[in-house]
Amino acid sequence: QVQLVESGGGLVQPGGSLRLSCAASGSISSINTMGWYRQAPGKERELVATIARFGSTNYADSVKDRFTISRDYAKNTVYLQMNSLQPEDTAVYYCNYRTTTSRGPLEVWGQGTLVTVSS
């Protein structure tokens, strides 16, 4: 079992910054991809950023140059540094963990953390 616990959401003014954290615990595979997705009210969940085992990253076009994903392998924690936040970034942000086990693909989601960008 793998558990994900997110933290760091909250209310921020436009142009401000927040850092989200996601700590993974349990039977963590050394070969995994972790990432962040978000879901705004009335919209589908969408990719924000992912980071693979050796640090390769992938970003949604809408957050490139504003958000940075990183991970601490020793702590099994992934971070999302969000700068220059805009109202359209308002959403519930979900942490995601993916790996392949002997039983097939495994995907785990966190409970989500709300980010509200408003003046």
Side-chain angles (χ1 to χ4, degrees):
Q1 294 284 347
V2 174
Q3 296 81 40
L4 303 175
V5 177
E6 301 130 328
S7 60
L11 173 64
V12 63
Q13 292 186 342
S17 299
L18 280 176
R19 189 175 85 150
L20 305 182
S21 300
C22 173
S25 62
S27 302
I28 306 298
S29 168
S30 61
I31 304 174
N32 65 70
T33 296
M34 294 187 71
W36 292 94
Y37 292 72
R38 67 186 182 186
Q39 188 166 18
K43 295 187 177 181
E44 294 186 351
R45 191 172 298 187
E46 62 177 5
L47 167 74
V48 177
T50 61
I51 184 165
R53 179 189 183 192
F54 293 114
S56 59
T57 58
N58 180 46
Y59 293 92
D61 288 342
S62 59
V63 306
K64 281 181 181 177
D65 301 324
R66 298 189 298 125
F67 291 10
T68 302
I69 190 170
S70 61
R71 64 191 298 176
D72 183 327
Y73 293 91
K75 296 181 179 180
N76 287 320
T77 299
V78 63
Y79 304 96
L80 185 69
Q81 177 65 43
M82 305 185 292
N83 299 328
S84 302
L85 283 161
Q86 300 301 317
E88 52 266 34
D89 295 315
T90 295
V92 177
Y93 284 70
Y94 296 92
C95 182
N96 176 268
Y97 167 95
R98 285 183 284 128
T99 189
T100 300
T101 73
S102 59
R103 299 178 186 177
L106 172 66
E107 183 171 49
V108 180
W109 293 93
Q111 79 284 359
T113 185
L114 178 63
V115 172
T116 303
V117 185
S118 175
S119 56

